[in-house]
Amino acid sequence: MRYFKLSLLVIVTLAAPELLAKGWINLFNGKDLSGWTQKTGNAKYFVEDGCIVGQMHVPGGGTNSFLCTTKDYDNFILELDFKADPRVNTGVQIRSQYADKPVSVDWQGKTINIGAGYVYGYQVEVDTDLKGKTWTGGIYDERRRRGYIDPDDGVKGPHGLAFTELNRQITDANGWNHLRIEAVGDSMKTYLNGVLRADIHDSLTPKGFIGLQVHNSNEPTSEGAQIRFKNIRMQMVSPKLPVAEPLPNTLTEKEKKAGWQLLWDGKTTDGWRSARSDEFPTHGWEIKDGMLMVTNNNGAESAGGGDIITRQRYSNFELVADFKETPGCNSGIKIFVQPDLSAITGTGATTNVGSAIGLEYQILDDARHPDAKLGRDGDRTLGSLYDLMTASADKKPNYIGEWNTARIVARGNHVEYWLNGKKILSFTRGSAAFRKAVADSKYHNIPNFGEWPDGHILLQEHGSQVSFRNIKIRVLPK
């Protein structure tokens, strides 16, 4: 048994926001600046080609420019598209205020003084300079001297460096990017191009206007640089009270009575081994903060530590597991795994290096990984029976960086795949449709593929960082 360092935290989260019946409202009509007003600065704001354009003017005059909504908002989801010249330092203010006279703000026993004529409040950074810190989606406290709230350790800190590295992967420096901001109660989350970037709790300002910033500059080369915003829309939400959730990797009394067991204890490698040997891999996997993580090795299939499988075999069962994706990731959960069979290539030829044979619940970043466009009719996308059958098109995965829950039910030959509480695929092993799919797949050379009476549970190592937790199983009657 190998032990890893583990930090245990009691998890208390906000329940998912309750959406009001109004749905989405447009904050920008695409024609003029009705509903907006410029508070400070000498940057120019105008409408062009259905976009709000903010244009830098040098010298900047010492004050940042803000185009602000004439209304205040408290609990909302805000979405917009932006296209920024890398020379522009910009951002989106939320829950912000304007000091028409000097203002004093109390925070943790300290007094923060804000001079007259300034905008202050939370700013969601927009930064498309891939040679800089590239902190789009970071949350900065404008004028309140608290600096960045997330990332909170500076450009050269581990969190800041990781923030930069990921953003450089997902930012389109020359094109349009999508920003989503959720502000509900004291919870604020930001998403860049569908990837979670910041997740904080802070209650210094519960309500305020939305603002589009153009930072002041005295650099002559910045003259005329532009930031464009479009599709600016908002959905008002109603916060619910915080809900205490069980610690990850534990069983409730109700689950215990229902026959659930932990497949992973959240701390050790007990109950798992390599698909290639009787030992747990010495590299390629990491246990940290209650997560079982595949480490990154540039996407190669089972070329690092390799797949891991349960020591026990299962036939009739219900399996659940939380998984968290990273941009461009590829992984999977396999059932009925037969580790004694040779791995195969994409053409079905046997190979010495490859993933163990079994029925795979595909885990994939459909938007970024090329495998989503391969196979047949999307049968390599998230939640699909890999290379065989396609998951429902109306599946609802959470954003990249957030937890999803996979559920797999196997009763005899009937199998169901679920994602976040919704069934997305069902099939019958050995049926005519199943055998036809096998014959058309890379598994066509494997006799009786997928019809074995039992097998191991597998977590796949495909060279991409993916995290797992809350891996639970209950054995069902035959």
Side-chain angles (χ1 to χ4, degrees):
M1 184 186 298
R2 184 177 295 112
Y3 286 85
F4 294 80
K5 183 179 179 181
L6 173 67
S7 298
L8 288 179
L9 299 173
V10 175
I11 306 297
V12 180
T13 65
L14 278 174
E18 177 186 354
L19 301 183
L20 299 183
K22 309 180 181 182
W24 292 97
I25 57 174
N26 290 319
L27 297 187
F28 169 51
N29 63 19
K31 301 175 182 178
D32 55 44
L33 296 179
S34 299
W36 297 81
T37 183
Q38 185 166 347
K39 293 288 189 183
T40 61
N42 63 359
K44 290 178 60 179
Y45 290 94
F46 55 93
V47 176
E48 183 179 82
D49 298 329
C51 304
I52 294 179
V53 182
Q55 182 170 296
M56 296 186 75
H57 176 66
V58 178
T63 304
N64 298 333
S65 300
F66 296 92
L67 182 69
C68 308
T69 57
T70 56
K71 295 181 179 179
D72 288 350
Y73 302 94
D74 49 10
N75 298 294
F76 57 83
I77 298 172
L78 174 68
E79 291 191 355
L80 58 83
D81 297 322
F82 68 87
K83 184 178 182 181
D85 187 313
R87 295 174 295 168
V88 179
N89 184 318
T90 181
V92 177
Q93 295 291 136
I94 61 170
R95 292 177 171 175
S96 294
Q97 306 287 336
Y98 174 70
D100 53 6
K101 60 183 179 180
V103 173
S104 295
V105 178
D106 294 326
W107 177 65
Q108 294 184 351
K110 300 177 182 179
T111 299
I112 302 172
N113 295 313
I114 301 164
Y118 290 103
V119 167
Y120 62 96
Y122 304 108
Q123 180 183 130
V124 179
E125 182 87 351
V126 172
D127 176 10
T128 61
D129 182 4
L130 300 186
K131 295 180 180 178
K133 63 180 185 293
T134 325
W135 276 4
T136 299
I139 298 178
Y140 178 80
D141 200 9
E142 178 78 11
R143 280 285 160 187
R144 290 192 292 206
R145 298 179 178 83
R146 295 194 297 166
Y148 281 94
I149 304 173
D150 187 8
D152 60 359
D153 62 355
V155 177
K156 296 183 179 180
H159 186 191
L161 289 171
F163 206 98
T164 296
E165 181 180 359
L166 194 154
N167 267 15
R168 287 175 178 171
Q169 296 176 38
I170 64 176
T171 300
D172 185 346
N174 300 310
W176 288 97
N177 296 271
H178 186 73
L179 187 64
R180 177 182 171 100
I181 303 166
E182 297 180 2
V184 186
D186 70 349
S187 171
M188 283 171 278
K189 296 181 180 181
T190 67
Y191 304 82
L192 173 62
N193 296 330
V195 180
L196 177 67
R197 300 312 299 124
D199 184 357
I200 69 168
H201 289 267
D202 195 279
S203 57
L204 196 55
T205 308
K207 185 176 183 178
F209 54 71
I210 307 299
L212 307 178
Q213 185 207 50
V214 174
H215 202 285
N216 93 89
S217 174
N218 293 316
E219 178 56 54
T221 58
S222 296
E223 176 66 33
Q226 295 181 346
I227 169 72
R228 292 175 175 262
F229 300 95
K230 67 179 182 179
N231 300 327
I232 308 171
R233 63 178 192 159
M234 177 178 284
Q235 191 172 46
M236 307 305 297
V237 299
S238 176
K240 292 183 178 180
L241 294 175
V243 177
E245 295 184 348
L247 282 170
N249 310 309
T250 61
L251 294 172
T252 65
E253 289 302 317
K254 183 178 180 180
E255 287 175 322
K256 292 176 183 178
K257 291 179 181 178
W260 287 96
Q261 302 174 356
L262 286 176
L263 263 187
W264 180 56
D265 63 13
K267 297 175 286 188
T268 72
T269 63
D270 195 25
W272 294 83
R273 68 173 179 89
S274 168
R276 304 169 181 166
S277 72
D278 196 50
E279 301 298 322
F280 195 89
T282 58
H283 63 285
W285 292 84
E286 180 182 6
I287 295 175
K288 181 180 180 182
D289 297 332
M291 297 180 290
L292 180 57
M293 299 187 295
V294 187
T295 58
N296 192 351
N297 72 2
N298 299 317
E301 180 182 310
S302 299
D307 301 337
I308 59 173
I309 60 174
T310 56
R311 293 188 177 275
Q312 189 171 334
R313 299 172 72 97
Y314 298 91
S315 54
N316 295 278
F317 58 88
E318 183 176 1
L319 170 72
V320 295
D322 294 344
F323 65 91
K324 182 166 64 175
E325 298 181 299
T326 57
C329 74
N330 187 348
S331 184
I333 302 170
K334 294 188 182 184
I335 58 176
F336 296 104
V337 172
Q338 310 296 311
D340 294 335
L341 295 179
S342 297
I344 59 173
T345 67
T347 64
T350 58
T351 179
N352 292 327
V353 178
S355 188
I357 299 299
L359 298 177
E360 180 174 351
Y361 180 114
Q362 172 79 313
I363 294 175
L364 195 80
D365 178 359
D366 290 346
R368 295 177 179 84
H369 198 285
D371 218 16
K373 297 179 175 61
L374 301 177
R376 299 177 312 283
D377 303 321
D379 63 4
R380 296 187 179 185
T381 56
L382 174 64
S384 295
L385 173 58
Y386 177 77
D387 209 44
L388 295 167
M389 296 182 179
T390 307
S392 172
D394 62 353
K395 63 190 175 187
K396 293 185 174 11
N398 293 323
Y399 289 96
I400 301 294
E402 296 186 316
W403 289 103
N404 294 275
T405 300
R407 176 173 173 243
I408 302 173
V409 183
R411 291 187 178 94
N413 286 333
H414 183 74
V415 180
E416 297 175 356
Y417 284 0
W418 295 65
L419 176 65
N420 296 331
K422 183 173 183 178
K423 185 164 66 173
I424 56 173
L425 179 65
S426 63
F427 57 92
T428 301
R429 301 183 300 138
S431 67
F434 180 85
R435 290 177 177 175
K436 174 65 167 57
V438 172
D440 293 338
S441 75
K442 71 177 188 177
Y443 305 112
H444 61 276
N445 289 329
I446 302 176
N448 300 315
F449 174 83
E451 299 182 37
W452 313 289
D454 61 17
H456 300 268
I457 309 296
L458 176 148
L459 302 181
Q460 187 185 46
E461 185 265 316
H462 208 301
S464 308
Q465 183 177 325
V466 176
S467 302
F468 298 93
R469 71 176 187 184
N470 288 332
I471 309 171
K472 305 173 183 181
I473 197 168
R474 63 172 173 175
V475 175
L476 301 177
K478 293 182 181 180

